[in-house]
């Protein structure tokens, strides 16, 4: 039986809150889905449609409910193209490199696991004193990451990965937590893989940000691939429940060329021939942040709540 021949997997599933296990919620944004998942255009940037988004009445966690079945999502992640993402490869590497000074304050060396490592750009940015591992679902992304010779790249979801306890000094999750079927179960697995005093780095959209509140249903992070929408408050609740101690928080700053931003905004044709002076202007790299992508570093604590 193939994945798409199982009609039950084509149906959306209803879930309980992953933070407090209640199923009492209010609808925050109605579904805007207009296509079934099989015929949708699944890209690394997400589709600007989403299933129903709700807010838990008990803990305030925001999540998609009902949502697409995780096995269908996994299938689409596996075949997702990577070309457009890599068109700004140097700018993305620049953004990762800019964070190294902060990362090194907490983890100056050691073994690092990047969950959802894509084409390996973060791992590539790390100095050689780090031993590098990556998990990636996408066939094309994993192949590119392996071709870079930057470490051990495993093509499998976090839920199926099998590492020995206390293997890593740092686990990173760049724009990953919001995609996972259960952030709680994922972070429980990561806790076991971290050494005592090891660190977890998370970048994820902040639905409590001023940008998200002002834009409401037009917030660009409301996409079909996002299953959870954390605020600093709800993310800290989850981390504290799972014996992590947040030690730093801020906002993630991305870098892009001016030309890329114009093309992504459809203000400049992608194939436009331009004078060299204009091309130089368009190649300028600029920092971009709407202060709606939170950046959190937490440390592993001994189990005290279980």
């Amino acid at each position: 039986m193939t994945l798409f021949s199982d009609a039950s997997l084509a149906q959306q599933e209803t879930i309980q809150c992953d933070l407090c296990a209640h199923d009492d919620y209010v609808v925050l944004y109605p579904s805007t889905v207009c296509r079934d998942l099989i015929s949708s255009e699944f890209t690394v940037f997400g589709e600007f449609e989403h299933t129903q988004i709700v807010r838990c009445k008990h803990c305030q966690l925001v999540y998609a409910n009902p949502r697409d079945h995780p096995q269908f999502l996994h299938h689409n992640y596996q075949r997702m193209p990577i070309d457009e993402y890599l068109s700004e490869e140097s700018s993305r590497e620049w953004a990762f490199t800019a964070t190294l000074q902060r990362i090194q304050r907490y983890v100056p060396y050691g073994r690092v696991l990047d969950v959802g490592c894509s084409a390996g750009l973060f791992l590539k940015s790390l100095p050689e004193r780090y031993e590098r591992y990556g998990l990636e679902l996408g066939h094309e992304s994993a192949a590119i990451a392996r071709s870079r010779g930057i470490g051990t790249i495993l093509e499998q979801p976090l839920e199926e990965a099998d590492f020995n306890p206390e293997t890593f000094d740092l686990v990173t999750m760049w724009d990953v937590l919001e995609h996972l079927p259960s952030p709680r179960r994922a972070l429980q697995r990561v806790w076991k893989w971290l050494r005592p005093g090891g660190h977890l780095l998370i970048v994820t959209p902040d639905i409590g940000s001023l940008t998200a509140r002002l834009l409401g249903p037009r917030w660009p992070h409301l996409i079909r691939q996002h299953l959870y929408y954390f605020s600093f408050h709800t993310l800290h609740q989850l981390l504290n429940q799972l014996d992590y101690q947040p030690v730093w928080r801020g906002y993630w700053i991305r870098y892009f060329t001016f030309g890329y931003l114009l093309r992504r905004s459809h203000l400049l044709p992608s194939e436009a021939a331009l004078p060299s002076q204009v091309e130089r202007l368009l190649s300028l790299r600029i920092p971009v942040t709407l202060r709606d992508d939170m950046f959190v570093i937490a440390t592993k604590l001994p189990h005290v709540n279980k």
Side-chain angles (χ1 to χ4, degrees), residues 129-146:
R129 62 179 176 273
Y130 294 94
E131 184 180 348
R132 294 164 287 187
Y133 291 76
L135 290 176
E136 174 55 38
L137 267 179
H139 295 318
E140 183 180 356
S141 299
I144 293 173
R146 282 194 294 267

Side-chain angles (χ1 to χ4, degrees), residues 121-297:
L121 302 188
F122 169 66
L123 295 175
K124 182 182 175 184
S125 74
L126 290 173
E128 291 186 0
R129 62 179 176 273
Y130 294 94
E131 184 180 348
R132 294 164 287 187
Y133 291 76
L135 290 176
E136 174 55 38
L137 267 179
H139 295 318
E140 183 180 356
S141 299
I144 293 173
R146 282 194 294 267
S147 72
R148 298 181 189 275
I150 51 177
T152 301
I153 308 298
L154 303 177
E155 189 177 326
Q156 60 185 164
L158 180 150
E159 297 85 357
E160 297 177 11
D162 185 19
F163 295 106
N164 291 328
E166 302 183 2
T167 294
F168 298 103
D169 299 282
L170 172 67
V171 174
T172 60
M173 306 176 82
W174 306 89
D175 298 312
V176 167
L177 196 67
E178 62 273 19
H179 296 267
L180 299 178
S182 172
R184 171 178 294 277
R185 290 197 299 271
L187 295 184
Q188 286 172 330
R189 290 179 68 81
V190 167
W191 189 95
K192 295 177 182 177
W193 297 338
L194 280 170
R195 291 175 177 162
H199 287 80
L200 168 69
L201 182 156
I202 294 173
V203 169
T204 192
D206 176 14
I207 199 165
S209 66
L210 178 61
T211 302
R213 287 182 279 123
L214 288 176
L215 293 179
R218 297 181 301 279
W219 188 41
H221 285 298
L222 300 179
I223 61 176
R224 192 162 187 175
Q225 289 91 322
H226 289 175
L227 305 181
Y228 292 92
Y229 299 88
F230 288 94
S231 63
F232 278 119
H233 175 68
T234 54
L235 181 58
H236 281 214
Q237 283 189 73
L238 181 60
L239 291 171
N240 288 330
Q241 287 178 16
L242 301 179
D243 298 322
Y244 292 95
Q245 175 61 54
V247 295
W248 186 86
R249 79 179 206 180
Y251 288 100
W252 172 235
I253 300 175
R254 305 175 194 272
Y255 288 81
F256 297 108
T257 59
F258 186 42
Y260 175 81
L261 292 174
L262 290 178
R263 292 185 177 97
R264 283 283 295 162
S265 303
H266 304 290
L267 298 176
L268 181 69
S270 58
E271 303 299 329
L274 302 170
S276 59
Q277 297 93 331
V278 176
E279 288 288 359
R280 284 196 291 271
L281 174 64
L282 295 179
S283 68
L284 292 176
R285 186 179 292 118
I286 57 177
V288 176
T289 178
L290 297 176
R291 295 179 64 83
D292 62 349
D293 286 297
M294 65 175 114
F295 184 177
V296 174
I297 299 176

Side-chain angles (χ1 to χ4, degrees), residues 103-104 106-112 129-131 169-170 195:
I103 291 171
Q104 290 168 351
Y106 299 98
V107 187
Y109 57 87
R111 190 173 291 160
V112 177
R129 62 179 176 273
Y130 294 94
E131 184 180 348
D169 299 282
L170 172 67
R195 291 175 177 162

